[in-house]
Amino acid sequence: MNLDELKPKVVKIVSKQEKTVDEKLLDICQLLHDEVSYYNWVGFYFANHETKSLHLGPYIGAETDHTVIPFGKGICGQVAMSNENFVVPDVAAQDNYIACSFTVKSEIVVPLFVDGKNIGQIDIDSHVLDPFTEKDEHFLEFVNKEIAKLY
């Protein structure tokens, strides 16, 4: 599916008054997982700035042991510190990578900002080498801007 075609569906999920924030986040994870063939694990991590750690939020995909990630560790931890998107075409080539599954070949992490503060991130793993493009980055930035409206 064309990523632009998913934007109105994301907006619709965010605007549902009857659902909690976590339910909306889970629905977004499910939408992206189901509609983008190379999005094999989709989830959110949220920052605890006092403990300098990320905590797993809603996600869709294989179960993970990585429910708490220290700032600086792995791709997600690096994004918590850099406040910048991180696209990893081949996780095997990354020194500071936390392996979740041998099936994961690539990853994209995009920070979630609320009032200019990085409160978390969307994390996507793929079983395909190098599938992520600038279109994915821009789309996930759009998704996070919509989600920021919930906070």
Side-chain angles (χ1 to χ4, degrees):
M1 167 164 282
N2 180 321
L3 295 175
D4 286 335
E5 293 174 18
L6 293 177
K7 288 180 178 180
K9 294 179 180 186
V10 169
V11 171
K12 185 176 180 182
I13 290 169
V14 168
S15 67
K16 288 185 178 176
Q17 296 297 317
E18 71 279 5
K19 292 206 173 200
T20 66
V21 171
D22 278 358
E23 288 171 331
K24 292 175 187 183
L25 293 175
L26 189 61
D27 287 351
I28 288 170
C29 291
Q30 189 72 61
L31 173 73
L32 301 186
H33 180 268
D34 291 351
E35 297 293 334
V36 185
S37 63
Y38 52 94
Y39 285 14
N40 302 113
W41 190 96
V42 181
F44 291 92
Y45 282 93
F46 290 94
N48 179 325
H49 291 281
E50 289 179 20
T51 62
K52 297 202 178 304
S53 58
L54 294 165
H55 298 264
L56 183 62
Y59 72 94
I60 295 290
E63 202 170 308
T64 180
D65 293 334
H66 305 291
T67 57
V68 179
I69 300 173
F71 283 12
K73 186 148 176 63
I75 308 308
C76 291
Q78 290 176 72
V79 169
M81 294 181 69
S82 72
N83 296 320
E84 294 178 2
N85 298 350
F86 199 153
V87 179
V88 182
D90 180 359
V91 296
Q94 278 294 316
D95 291 337
N96 190 5
Y97 174 69
I98 302 172
C100 295
S101 165
F102 69 92
T103 58
V104 176
K105 304 289 186 228
S106 56
E107 182 174 12
I108 184 171
V109 179
V110 176
L112 170 59
F113 295 100
V114 173
D115 297 326
K117 183 177 183 180
N118 182 347
I119 67 155
Q121 53 204 228
I122 188 167
D123 177 21
I124 299 178
D125 293 341
S126 180
H127 299 163
V128 179
L129 273 173
D130 199 15
F132 303 115
T133 67
E134 279 188 30
K135 288 182 181 178
D136 292 282
E137 283 190 76
H138 295 310
F139 171 68
L140 295 172
E141 288 167 353
F142 168 84
V143 169
N144 280 354
K145 283 179 185 159
E146 288 301 309
I147 290 168
K149 295 174 182 176
L150 299 171
Y151 293 93

